[in-house]
Amino acid sequence: MARKTANDDPLAPVTLAVGQEELLLDRAVREVVVAARAADADTDVRDLTADQVQPGTLAELTSPSLFAERKVVVVRNAQDLSADTIKDVTAYLSSPAEEITLVLLHAGGVKGKKLLDAARKAGAREVACPKMTKPADRLAFVRQEFRATGRSATPEACQALVDAIGSDLRELASAVTQLVADVEGTIDEAVVGRYYTGRAEASSFTVADRAVEGRAAEALEALRWSLATGVAPVLITSALAQGVRAIGKLSSARGGRPADLARELGMPPWKIDRVRQQMRGWTPDGVAVALRAVAEADAGVKGGGDDPEYALEKAVVTIARAARSRGRS
């Protein structure tokens, strides 16, 4: 979960979100935007990547308006700003404009450290968004997600959810939202089991397994069942991505025993055996095609398309075809 400095006013002139956890970075931005629009419903939000911010851009965006409107200016990947643009931003930090909130998203580390140091010296509100690589951190995140909804979940349920979903914070947050919406009372391990380990037909991983095995009809059937029973589309795209990436990792790895490959690739030995069976028929070009299909579907289910279900169906069919690419002319 994001950690904040003592200055916890989301309408502070400058918010500095530091880290590489995309979900937490997005939440840091959303918190500022929500607060700004609560203060002024007509708040203008400009969300920019580093390459869109050139020397003079910030001055233009923060110049006084005839309508004195509130504005939020978001700069993503601020560590990638050019040296001249960093000079502009650093100068602005010493005298920020009224009614404007600047949000800098910075990965941390050495790159762009001059900007990071300048923002901190200027007293920017800081939100830490570190990548959660430890299981204990993800477990704490799940507990906090349940607390934030005002709902109770047993420690066993939280652990079961982390075990079932994995390391993707977006998926974990989506799963908590799903459970809270569907289940009354305390959420226990049995409930998590029913949703994420006990319904093989509706499992996002079943969709992925059938797709990477080239079984398009079965994958589509599992997909429709999953969506009909409330599985979040983002969980399905994540499972598809994991399935295709596992094929790619194992196909490019050196031969060896499952235990050795498990250590090399960071997969449990049982998964090595399963992926070995699934990878028959795959080619490097097929993996590349499938990864592009997953990326397009992910964008589609996160607001980039009008029909998330169609985006998923298209990805499943493309992956299944790619799985049978070896030996085809």
Side-chain angles (χ1 to χ4, degrees):
M1 64 226 83
R3 298 188 301 274
K4 302 169 186 174
T5 56
N7 177 13
D8 196 20
D9 179 6
L11 293 182
V14 181
T15 286
L16 177 65
V18 184
Q20 299 179 42
E21 190 57 69
E22 291 296 329
L23 173 66
L24 301 183
L25 291 168
D26 286 347
R27 285 184 173 182
V29 172
R30 187 169 69 244
E31 182 182 27
V32 172
V33 172
V34 168
R37 286 185 168 154
D40 181 353
D42 295 325
T43 294
D44 181 23
V45 178
R46 304 295 181 92
D47 196 326
L48 308 170
T49 56
D51 61 327
Q52 294 175 304
V53 185
Q54 302 299 322
T57 301
L58 186 61
E60 179 181 347
L61 291 174
T62 58
S63 61
S65 167
L66 290 175
F67 304 101
E69 64 184 357
R70 182 177 289 277
K71 187 178 293 185
V72 174
V73 178
V74 181
V75 179
R76 296 180 183 270
N77 300 313
Q79 73 278 356
D80 295 331
L81 291 171
S82 69
D84 287 340
T85 304
I86 287 177
K87 289 180 182 178
D88 280 1
V89 177
T90 301
Y92 175 83
L93 293 173
S94 64
S95 183
E98 293 184 9
E99 300 298 309
I100 292 178
T101 300
L102 175 64
V103 184
L104 300 173
L105 275 56
H106 194 294
V110 176
K111 188 176 183 181
K113 191 172 184 299
K114 182 177 180 180
L115 176 60
L116 198 61
D117 292 341
R120 286 169 171 163
K121 186 176 180 179
R125 167 182 179 259
E126 185 168 345
V127 182
C129 307
K131 199 75 175 174
M132 294 191 183
T133 57
K134 297 179 181 178
D137 292 337
R138 294 192 288 272
L139 182 59
F141 172 79
V142 168
R143 288 172 176 162
Q144 177 58 34
E145 288 293 290
F146 279 116
R147 282 196 294 269
T149 66
R151 294 292 299 279
S152 176
T154 66
E156 294 79 11
C158 294
Q159 184 64 62
L161 197 59
V162 171
D163 292 342
I165 301 299
S167 61
D168 191 306
L169 256 60
R170 290 188 189 277
E171 291 187 13
L172 288 169
S174 177
V176 170
T177 300
Q178 180 80 45
L179 290 168
V180 167
D182 289 359
V183 180
E184 295 182 359
T186 299
I187 296 165
D188 59 20
E189 186 177 9
V191 169
V192 174
R194 287 200 303 273
Y195 269 73
Y196 296 101
T197 60
R199 297 190 304 173
E201 302 90 347
S203 164
S204 56
F205 291 102
T206 298
V207 178
D209 285 343
R210 298 296 86 80
V212 300
E213 290 162 6
R215 297 154 65 179
E218 294 175 46
L220 287 171
E221 181 182 0
L223 171 64
R224 289 161 188 155
W225 195 328
S226 294
L227 294 172
T229 53
V231 175
V234 68
L235 297 181
I236 299 172
T237 55
S238 178
L240 290 170
Q242 290 181 48
V244 175
R245 287 172 186 152
I247 297 287
K249 283 182 179 180
L250 191 56
S251 63
S252 61
R254 299 187 300 273
R257 298 176 303 168
D260 296 331
L261 287 170
R263 285 192 293 271
E264 179 183 345
L265 302 178
M267 299 180 190
W270 63 264
K271 189 168 185 178
I272 297 292
D273 291 333
R274 175 183 290 179
V275 175
R276 271 180 167 166
Q277 295 173 358
Q278 294 173 332
M279 63 188 288
R280 298 167 187 162
W282 281 92
T283 65
D285 287 344
V287 171
V289 168
L291 286 173
R292 285 197 296 272
V294 171
E296 291 173 2
D298 188 57
V301 303
K302 291 178 179 175
D306 296 328
D307 190 343
E309 183 173 342
Y310 172 73
L312 287 169
E313 288 182 354
K314 182 180 177 182
V316 164
V317 170
T318 302
I319 292 168
R321 287 175 179 167
R324 301 192 302 272
S325 56
R326 189 182 299 279
R328 292 190 319 200
S329 58

